[in-house]
Amino acid sequence: MKKLVVKVDLHDDRDRSKAMRVVSGFGGIGSLSMDSKDNELTVSGDFDPVKVVNKLRKSWHTEIVSVGAAEEDDGKKDEGEKEEGEKDDQVANLVKAYEAYYSTPVTYYRVPPGETPNCVIC
């Protein structure tokens, strides 16, 4: 079980319902909740967080707040709890993998060989 919290720029109730509909279309979604005050969408279940964020980014500005394992309420505590440092490392590894897969494009500027401009920005 995974838990994903994303901040989405939504302007009205129509955008909120459309975002919820888009996310619910993925397989393995256990629960969805929307915090209208902070515009944070919380998704939990067995799903791919990268695919969910990419689908949301096609229509709205989306920022990842947190990604991690969902807490299950069984009435007893998990004996093998992870330390906070391990959780931070796991989130950092997911962010690095996302950035490596979807890198920002690099723009190159070329000056024709016959021209030598006197200024940097012409």
Side-chain angles (χ1 to χ4, degrees):
M1 294 282 290
K2 296 176 187 167
K3 181 178 177 183
L4 170 70
V5 180
V6 292
K7 187 172 183 177
V8 184
D9 265 351
L10 302 172
H11 302 290
D12 55 4
D13 291 333
R14 184 176 177 195
D15 281 346
R16 286 183 183 88
S17 64
K18 187 175 177 183
M20 298 278 278
R21 203 172 333 119
V22 165
V23 172
S24 65
F26 285 96
I29 302 293
S31 67
L32 287 170
S33 65
M34 181 74 181
D35 183 12
S36 299
K37 182 180 176 184
D38 296 330
N39 284 335
E40 288 186 351
L41 179 66
T42 304
V43 184
S44 63
D46 292 322
F47 61 96
D48 187 11
V50 174
K51 288 183 181 179
V52 172
V53 171
N54 284 337
K55 190 72 168 183
L56 288 171
R57 284 188 175 168
K58 287 182 180 180
S59 299
W60 303 281
H61 177 73
T62 306
E63 296 177 17
I64 299 173
V65 176
S66 68
V67 178
E71 299 174 3
E72 296 182 14
D73 294 331
D74 291 339
K76 57 183 177 180
K77 292 188 177 183
D78 188 18
E79 290 89 22
E81 288 186 19
K82 294 182 178 180
E83 296 179 8
E84 289 296 321
E86 291 178 10
K87 289 182 182 179
D88 292 339
D89 292 339
Q90 189 178 31
V91 171
N93 289 337
L94 285 172
V95 170
K96 285 180 186 177
Y98 180 82
E99 288 174 350
Y101 191 73
Y102 296 101
S103 62
T104 55
V106 178
T107 306
Y108 295 100
Y109 296 99
R110 184 175 84 66
V111 178
E115 299 178 21
T116 53
N118 295 332
C119 64
V120 177
I121 301 173
C122 297

